[in-house]
Amino acid sequence: MQSVNIGVLGLGTVGSGTVNVLRRNIKEITRRAGRDIEITRAADRTIDKERSCDISGIHLTTDALEIVNDPNIHVVVELIGGTGIARDLVLQAIENGKHVVTANKALIALHGNELFEKAQDKGVTIAFEAAVAGGIPIIKAMREGLSANSIEWLAGIINGTGNFILTEMRDKGRDFPEVLEEAQALGYAEADPTFDVEGIDAAHKLTIMASIAFGIPLQFDKAYTEGISKISQEDVQYAAELGYIIKHLGISKKTEQGVELRVHPTLIPHRRLIANVDGVMNAVLVKGDAVGPTLYYGAGAGSEATASAVVADIVDVVRTLTTDPENRVPHLAFQPDAIVDTPILPISEVVTSYYLRIHTDDEPGVLADITRILAEQSISIEAILQKQPEDHNGIVPVIMLTQEVAEKNMDLAIKQIEELTTVEDSVMRIRMESLG
Ligand code: HSE
C-alpha cells in the first residue's frame, strides 16, 4: 500500500519533537497504523539553521502554502500557532481535501466551528489532541473513553506556567514577578506570558474540552477568565492554614440553567489528588455520571510530550483514511447535527463558595459590620480567621470562607464591604471548589 505522506508546517519545538518521535518509533507506529507514514515535506521560516531533529530526506521550504497545495501530501500537520496564517493554511488544506493535525489551541477555540463545518463538507478530519494539555490524551478520553457518560463537570490545571508559578510561591515563599521571570527563562511561558498568567491559554483549552464534554459549539468569547497575577504570598499562606491549596483551574459544569465556563484561581482541599499536581505538570479531572471522577495527569507542554499527541493524531488519521467520513468519530464527540446551543452562564450567575481576605482597622464593631453585610446578601460564613494586627500599621487581616452563593450576591457584598471606612484596600476574593 502506498505510504502516507505528511507535510509539517513549522519546525519549532513541537515540529522537531514530531520528527524525532515519528522517526524513532517508526516501526511500532507503522505496526499500529497499518500503513507506512513518512514526513516528506516541512516548512520553516529559515532553511539553513542548526536543528534539534534529523531532517534528512525531508524536503524543506519556507513557503508553507507550497506544501498545502502539494497533491502528494495527504496529511498537513500545522504547528505554526496563532490564528492568522495558520488559519489560512488550514482552510486551504481542507479545501484541497487534506486531513489536518494541529496543536493550535487558539485556532480551534476561536475558529473550530467554522473549520469543522468545512472539514465535514469536504469529508476530511481535523485532529487536535495536542491542543489541550500537551501529551495527555484528554480529547480521546472524553470523546471516546467516556462516551457512555453524561459528563457533569470537568476541572483542569491546564497551564503549566501558571502551575509552576503557584507551586514555587507555595513551596519556596517566592513572589509572583520573580517566579514569572524564571518561567520565561526556562521557556515554559507562551511568547506573550499574559496568555499564561491571565488565563487566556487555559480558556482556549477549557473551551475545547467543554464543547467535547457537553456537545455545545466552541464559545471562547463567553469564557470567564481571571489570572493569577493578584495572588499574594499572604493568600497562599492563609489558604494553607485553612487546609487548602490555590490552583489556577479551568472549570466547566453543566447546571440546569446552562454551562459554566470559567478560568480563575481556586482554593481546593489539599487532600485532593489534583491539589498535588505541581510544577509544570497538567491534570484534568472529569466527572461522568456512570464512571464517577476520573483524573488524567501528565506533561502539558514540551517538545516530545506534545509530539506524542501530534503523532497519535497522525496515526488516528491514517487509520481512518479509508473509512466513510460519516462514520468517523465526530470532531466535538457529538454528531454535528446534535450539537445543542445550551447557554453559557455569565460569571454573575455562577454559584460557588468563596475565600475572602479583608484588611480592616483594629477597631470594635468592624467584624460585626462585615458579617451584617454578608447576612444581608444571604451569605453564610463557613470559617473565619482573624490574624493579629500587622506590625506598625495596625491593619488586621480577616479571612473568611463562605458557603455557596451566587457571584452577583457576592459582588454586592464586596462592594459594600469595600465602602466601609474601617476597611482598607480591596477585598481579595478567591472562589473555592470541593471537587468532591
Ligand atoms: N504555555 C503553555 C503552558 C504551553 O504553560 O502550559 C502549552 O500550551
Side-chain angles (χ1 to χ4, degrees):
M1 213 184 284
Q2 193 201 355
S3 73
V4 179
N5 296 334
I6 311 290
V8 176
L9 314 182
L11 272 186
T13 310
V14 180
S16 304
T18 299
V19 173
N20 285 332
V21 171
L22 192 67
R23 291 194 154 181
R24 186 170 72 238
N25 297 336
I26 192 64
K27 281 194 187 144
E28 279 169 282
I29 288 168
T30 309
R31 282 168 60 207
R32 291 187 176 115
R35 295 271 293 268
D36 287 333
I37 300 172
E38 209 182 329
I39 298 178
T40 54
R41 303 199 65 178
D44 205 10
R45 271 189 296 224
T46 340
I47 301 287
D48 297 319
K49 70 172 200 190
E50 207 171 308
R51 296 191 182 275
S52 48
C53 63
D54 171 15
I55 49 154
S56 56
I58 301 176
H59 176 199
L60 285 191
T61 175
T62 53
D63 183 2
L65 197 58
E66 231 182 65
I67 296 182
V68 165
N69 288 332
D70 182 342
N72 294 315
I73 292 293
H74 307 113
V75 182
V76 168
V77 178
E78 184 277 307
L79 302 173
I80 293 171
T83 53
I85 179 83
R87 174 170 168 266
D88 298 341
L89 290 166
V90 167
L91 280 169
Q92 189 59 45
I94 298 168
E95 183 62 35
N96 292 344
K98 297 184 196 306
H99 301 276
V100 174
V101 172
T102 179
N104 192 333
K105 53 224 158 175
L107 180 69
I108 300 298
L110 271 70
H111 301 289
N113 299 323
E114 169 202 15
L115 295 174
F116 296 150
E117 198 182 329
K118 194 167 164 86
Q120 191 76 16
D121 286 349
K122 290 281 173 181
V124 298
T125 297
I126 304 173
F128 52 95
E129 181 67 71
V132 181
I136 307 176
I138 186 65
I139 303 289
K140 189 136 190 120
M142 283 203 297
R143 203 161 55 179
E144 298 176 50
L146 297 180
S147 59
N149 289 262
S150 172
I151 294 177
E152 294 171 1
W153 54 263
L154 62 93
I157 296 171
I158 41 180
N159 182 270
T161 305
N163 202 40
F164 172 76
I165 293 173
L166 289 175
T167 304
E168 288 288 303
M169 286 176 74
R170 187 197 66 209
D171 289 353
K172 301 187 185 151
R174 298 172 71 192
D175 282 323
F176 175 85
E178 178 199 334
V179 193
L180 172 60
E181 230 171 81
E182 187 184 339
Q184 284 179 279
L186 289 168
Y188 300 150
E190 295 291 303
D192 177 353
T194 58
F195 271 50
D196 296 296
V197 297
E198 297 307 335
I200 299 156
D201 175 76
H204 286 147
K205 297 166 185 168
L206 181 70
T207 299
I208 299 171
M209 289 196 291
S211 288
I212 289 171
F214 305 122
I216 54 173
L218 295 145
Q219 295 165 83
F220 170 74
D221 56 330
K222 296 198 181 134
Y224 172 78
T225 307
E226 184 181 309
I228 54 169
S229 52
K230 292 198 183 77
I231 300 291
S232 66
Q233 197 44 245
E234 194 184 5
D235 297 312
V236 172
Q237 283 170 21
Y238 295 151
E241 277 183 47
L242 291 157
Y244 291 85
I245 290 180
I246 302 175
K247 289 291 183 191
H248 200 194
L249 293 189
I251 300 170
S252 189
K253 268 186 205 174
K254 189 167 57 184
T255 73
E256 277 179 18
Q257 291 70 38
V259 170
E260 297 177 4
L261 194 59
R262 48 192 171 107
V263 174
H264 51 71
T266 314
L267 257 74
I268 53 178
H270 72 93
R271 295 177 313 278
R272 296 270 175 267
L273 271 179
I274 196 168
N276 296 288
V277 170
D278 288 334
V280 286
M281 298 308 276
N282 281 200
V284 183
L285 189 53
V286 185
K287 170 86 179 345
D289 69 333
V291 70
T294 56
L295 181 66
Y296 309 85
Y297 167 86
S303 177
E304 291 210 357
T306 310
S308 164
V310 171
V311 175
D313 270 351
I314 295 174
V315 171
D316 254 4
V317 166
V318 168
R319 282 173 177 153
T320 60
L321 282 177
T322 51
T323 60
D324 166 8
E326 297 301 316
N327 292 318
R328 293 179 187 148
V329 179
H331 289 111
L332 291 178
F334 292 72
Q335 297 298 335
D337 60 1
I339 297 286
V340 290
D341 223 350
T342 313
I344 303 289
L345 294 177
I347 192 70
S348 57
E349 297 299 328
V350 166
V351 174
T352 185
S353 42
Y354 292 85
Y355 158 104
L356 302 177
R357 190 245 305 141
I358 309 165
H359 283 168
T360 72
D361 294 341
D362 191 10
E363 278 178 30
V366 177
L367 214 48
D369 286 340
I370 294 171
T371 51
R372 176 186 46 80
I373 292 171
L374 292 173
E376 280 165 8
Q377 293 302 327
S378 309
I379 300 170
S380 188
I381 298 164
E382 178 88 25
I384 192 161
L385 183 69
Q386 182 181 325
K387 308 302 278 188
Q388 285 187 320
E390 289 174 356
D391 291 346
H392 314 302
N393 58 12
I395 298 290
V396 181
V398 174
I399 296 93
M400 289 177 173
L401 305 185
T402 76
Q403 291 184 356
E404 286 191 340
V405 60
E407 178 108 0
K408 58 186 173 198
N409 291 58
M410 183 53 86
D411 287 344
L412 280 172
I414 288 179
K415 186 169 174 290
Q416 288 172 27
I417 292 171
E418 285 176 344
E419 279 165 7
L420 293 172
T421 52
T422 46
V423 166
E424 309 292 327
D425 314 324
S426 333
V427 173
M428 180 64 180
R429 144 238 313 251
I430 309 178
R431 297 169 193 86
M432 294 174 59
E433 292 290 333
S434 70
L435 304 180

